[in-house]
Amino acid sequence: QFQVNTTDTGKLTIKPRPVTITAASGEKEFDGAALTNGGWSVADPTEGQYAEDGSEIVAPTGLVGSDKVAAVKVAGSQTYPGSSANVPSDAVMETGKASNYKFEYVNGILRVTDRAAKYVINAAAPDATYTYDGAQKTAEGVSFDQLTFDGKTYTVTGLTSKASGTDAGEYAASITGTATVWDGETNVTEQFQVNTTDTGKLTIKPR
């Protein structure tokens, strides 16, 4: 008296379990070297929430049992004052199958701050001594006591000093201009104190 249709097919779906991986952050004062941090962490597992009929309301998260992440690629670098993302990706499993998980990546932050105690560069004007011969003499240029700090060498532009004279006597050579400190093509003047109070001297002695 009955026809029982049995053509229907049910489906069991096991969704990949969410796992959050966070890249490490880092912070330091400017020292001319790039700030990096290859660290990362995996969030602890959380329990799911389920309705009375057993249906899932909130998915459980985290690694299951002895499953373990072996490695994570972390890419990020910050050299100058400011901040940028430290980006994790490409998790590799040590135990367990990566296909059982949905990796969710959270960036870390790399932050470089201005120096509290600035690097100090002392500029020097030249001294020169001649004996009078009727021709104009000149003492010109600016030198610096130190341009390498923490293994990094910088350049300074914008300063001049010049004293000229023909007659016997002494001529002062003050340093003029505005110092700009460079790391390659990057202006890093804010990290330095450039002292320009030195005065050079051109001396022309009587013949």
Side-chain angles (χ1 to χ4, degrees):
Q1 307 298 312
F2 293 87
Q3 177 181 328
V4 181
N5 296 323
T6 59
T7 57
D8 183 60
T9 301
K11 181 172 67 174
L12 170 64
T13 300
I14 300 177
K15 298 182 296 182
R17 186 179 176 107
V19 173
T20 299
I21 296 176
T22 302
S25 295
E27 181 173 331
K28 71 170 183 176
E29 286 189 342
F30 173 82
D31 63 3
L35 170 64
T36 60
N37 192 332
W40 50 272
S41 61
V42 178
D44 292 335
T46 63
E47 297 295 330
Q49 297 180 19
Y50 303 91
E52 290 184 0
D53 63 1
S55 60
E56 185 178 275
I57 300 174
V58 177
T61 67
L63 297 171
V64 174
S66 61
D67 287 357
K68 186 177 181 180
V69 175
V72 175
K73 179 181 177 181
V74 179
S77 179
Q78 184 72 27
T79 300
Y80 304 107
S83 61
S84 59
N86 201 29
V87 183
S89 64
D90 301 335
V92 176
M93 297 297 292
E94 179 177 319
T95 55
K97 295 180 179 179
S99 60
N100 285 331
Y101 296 98
K102 178 184 178 183
F103 294 112
E104 299 173 352
Y105 297 101
V106 178
N107 293 344
I109 298 294
L110 299 176
R111 180 175 288 105
V112 175
T113 61
D114 289 326
R115 294 188 60 80
K118 296 181 183 296
Y119 293 132
V120 177
I121 297 174
N122 294 307
D127 294 325
T129 301
Y130 299 92
T131 298
Y132 171 76
D133 63 2
Q136 186 182 69
K137 304 301 181 184
T138 300
E140 184 176 9
V142 178
S143 60
F144 304 97
D145 67 333
Q146 182 179 0
L147 290 172
T148 300
F149 300 86
D150 292 327
K152 193 71 173 286
T153 300
Y154 302 87
T155 57
V156 180
T157 61
L159 298 179
T160 60
S161 175
K162 182 177 181 179
S164 298
T166 302
D167 296 330
E170 294 182 347
Y171 303 85
S174 298
I175 297 173
T176 60
T178 300
T180 303
V181 184
W182 300 91
D183 177 13
E185 297 182 354
T186 301
N187 186 332
V188 291
T189 306
E190 288 299 316
Q191 311 310 314
F192 290 81
Q193 175 185 323
V194 182
N195 296 324
T196 60
T197 57
D198 183 59
T199 300
K201 184 171 65 174
L202 168 64
T203 301
I204 300 177
K205 299 183 297 182
R207 189 181 181 96

